[in-house]
Amino acid sequence: EKLGEDLVYTQSDFAGLADALQLHFGAAEVQGALDLTGTHTQQLISHLIFCGRVSCLAGLPAIEQHVLMKKAPNIGIVSLCGSWLSNSVCAQQRMAFIG
């Protein structure tokens, strides 16, 4: 929340996170996700709307081709090297594009 996010979920397992997202937003309304660990990127993409956005803080793991073809996600890899410059995840995302 301190980085500018509207909502933060802290479920310890992915199934709980997926349930919380679908309960809050509805099955087809998740437009973007921030992947902090890099362990559930493919599952996060499968919950996004078509051309949804996922930003990865821990690098990009291997993602199966059929998931990419089905959802056509916008994937951003965010470097936190300069995160001290801004308290905004959006600003950090722009820095990732510049970098």
Side-chain angles (χ1 to χ4, degrees), residues 3 22 53:
L3 293 174
Q22 287 184 342
R53 175 173 210 79

Side-chain angles (χ1 to χ4, degrees), residues 34-35 41 53-61 63 74-80 92-99:
L34 180 62
D35 184 7
T41 307
R53 175 173 210 79
V54 63
S55 295
C56 304
L57 294 179
L60 184 63
I63 301 172
N74 292 302
I75 300 172
I77 302 186
V78 180
S79 171
L80 295 180
Q92 293 172 28
Q93 181 69 29
R94 285 191 296 270
M95 282 188 345
F97 288 131
I98 292 169

Side-chain angles (χ1 to χ4, degrees), residues 1-8 32-34 87-90:
E1 290 173 339
K2 291 179 182 179
L3 293 174
E5 292 299 317
D6 295 328
L7 297 167
V8 176
L34 180 62
N87 286 334
S88 168
V89 171
C90 294

Side-chain angles (χ1 to χ4, degrees), residues 15-28:
L17 175 62
D19 292 341
L21 288 172
Q22 287 184 342
L23 180 65
H24 189 270
F25 292 104

